[in-house]
Amino acid sequence: MKHQQHSYFLPVKGYQLHIRRLLPLQQPIGTVLMLHGAIGNSRIFYTQSGKGLGCYLADQGFAVYCADYAGRGRSLPHSSSGFDHSQQQLICQDIPALVRHVAEANQQPLHLIAHSWGGVLAAASLSRHPELLPLVQSKVCFGSKRRIRVQSFEKKLKIDWMWNRLAPWLAERHGYFPAKRWRFGADDEPKQFLLDCIRWIEQDAFVDCSDGFDYKTASQNTTWPELWHFVAEKDRVLGHPDDVKAFMAETNQQQARFTHLSKASGALADYDHISMLTHPLAVQDHFPTLADWLVSLKPK
């Protein structure tokens, strides 16, 4: 392992966001902020033993910041304590605070890397707060979609029944969604965030659940930084390539690089929604390609 790790907390209006900072042993060559998806936390990007995309990029010389959303991971308080939190708070408070903090700490624009729903939240935040765009050099998404239009038995089971029906019932009963206990995902979710997420997956309109802000229109008028979207061959529901492409079109990101991680396309494995970030072969496959691309981008 060619980097050092430590944790600290960023205060944001009554709660604290946990950040895991991974610093290379030499002078950093760039800065990366990583945003996780729903029913998860920042551990999708790193382990203490040095595995994951965050650790790989730190070993290549990047200063990497892996953030836990409010109520999740090691952020305080946790959603299981009764703490509630909405999508709008993430979009309008937390992501802007994280982007400004990381950019200011390193005195340079950052590379924003997101998994799954994190890519949707990042797009919403940047389109609603264009003043953040000069602080973001590139935006990379792994399996990010807003609507789930693909139809299959797996979709009916995981989304139509478990996510749209069982999850809200559990959240109402417990005051938060105990996703980890029920093995829905790696972490629990605040109740309001869950309900907001369900609305966005189901509804055609890309508008704010709290105040009706039109993210689609704002996105269409956004001058995006350099973009790259990854999809995985075995990601048949949570980040289906067709749904990812629909999200790209909805947010005016069609100019993005687009990589389908499959053996048929030259990848070393047929990855899925999680393994595209955790598979042992990724460090020989798309991780080096991504790192080289980040290095090649000229600073603003």
Side-chain angles (χ1 to χ4, degrees):
M1 193 163 71
K2 301 176 183 177
H3 69 272
Q4 298 177 336
Q5 300 184 16
H6 76 279
S7 292
Y8 67 99
F9 294 88
L10 178 67
V12 180
K13 294 189 177 181
Y15 48 91
Q16 299 183 67
L17 302 179
H18 168 254
I19 298 175
R20 187 72 170 181
R21 180 163 59 187
L22 288 59
L23 292 178
L25 301 182
Q26 70 273 20
Q27 183 69 22
I29 61 174
T31 306
V32 175
L33 171 61
M34 312 193 91
L35 301 176
H36 62 82
I39 53 175
N41 55 49
S42 63
R43 292 299 297 271
I44 187 71
F45 297 117
Y46 75 93
T47 67
Q48 292 183 342
S49 62
K51 298 177 182 179
L53 178 58
C55 294
Y56 179 85
L57 292 177
D59 286 345
Q60 304 310 305
F62 291 90
V64 180
Y65 296 74
C66 304
D68 287 328
Y69 299 152
R72 281 142 283 196
R74 294 172 61 184
S75 292
L76 300 172
H78 193 263
S79 57
S80 59
S81 69
F83 172 78
D84 208 3
H85 191 257
S86 70
Q87 273 195 161
Q88 189 189 67
Q89 287 174 288
L90 246 174
I91 292 166
C92 296
Q93 294 178 185
D94 300 1
I95 293 177
L98 288 165
V99 169
R100 292 188 183 102
H101 167 73
V102 172
E104 291 172 4
N106 294 272
Q107 292 297 296
Q108 62 180 320
L110 55 86
H111 302 287
L112 185 58
I113 298 179
H115 178 235
S116 193
W117 202 248
V120 179
L121 298 171
S125 187
L126 294 178
S127 64
R128 183 161 186 165
H129 301 280
E131 70 276 9
L132 298 175
L133 288 167
L135 304 179
V136 179
Q137 189 172 357
S138 71
K139 179 173 173 284
V140 180
C141 295
F142 287 85
S144 294
K145 80 307 166 189
R146 185 181 71 82
R147 296 290 314 280
I148 299 180
R149 294 181 173 89
V150 61
Q151 295 298 322
S152 65
F153 174 77
E154 185 180 1
K155 189 263 185 180
K156 291 182 182 297
L157 176 64
K158 291 183 176 180
I159 303 301
D160 297 343
W161 188 76
M162 296 176 69
W163 185 252
N164 292 350
R165 296 184 181 183
L166 181 58
W169 181 81
L170 290 170
E172 188 65 35
R173 181 179 180 184
H174 295 279
Y176 72 104
F177 176 35
K180 188 174 182 179
R181 186 193 314 175
W182 282 74
R183 298 185 179 180
F184 275 49
D187 211 330
D188 305 323
E189 289 285 15
K191 177 182 174 181
Q192 189 58 55
F193 181 89
L194 169 72
L195 298 178
D196 292 344
C197 180
I198 290 173
R199 285 183 60 185
W200 271 10
I201 288 174
E202 290 298 302
Q203 70 184 22
D204 288 330
F206 190 16
V207 298
D208 195 273
C209 298
S210 299
D211 64 8
F213 181 88
D214 189 338
Y215 292 106
K216 180 177 180 179
T217 298
S219 294
Q220 292 293 326
N221 295 318
T222 296
T223 301
W224 295 104
E226 298 289 335
L227 300 168
W228 196 345
H229 281 262
F230 288 87
V231 297
E233 175 67 17
K234 291 186 177 179
D235 195 352
R236 300 187 177 98
V237 174
L238 299 179
H240 191 280
D242 290 345
D243 290 334
V244 171
K245 289 179 180 178
F247 170 62
M248 292 168 62
E250 179 179 54
T251 53
N252 190 32
Q253 297 186 46
Q254 300 97 319
Q255 73 275 26
R257 297 184 63 166
F258 185 85
T259 297
H260 190 139
L261 297 171
S262 69
K263 288 183 178 179
S265 299
L268 298 176
D270 287 330
Y271 300 93
D272 61 26
H273 195 63
I274 301 299
S275 68
M276 65 174 113
L277 289 173
T278 61
H279 198 290
L281 288 176
V283 298
Q284 306 169 40
D285 208 349
H286 47 288
F287 285 8
T289 307
L290 174 58
D292 290 344
W293 181 73
L294 295 178
V295 170
S296 74
L297 298 179
K298 296 180 180 180
K300 293 182 180 180

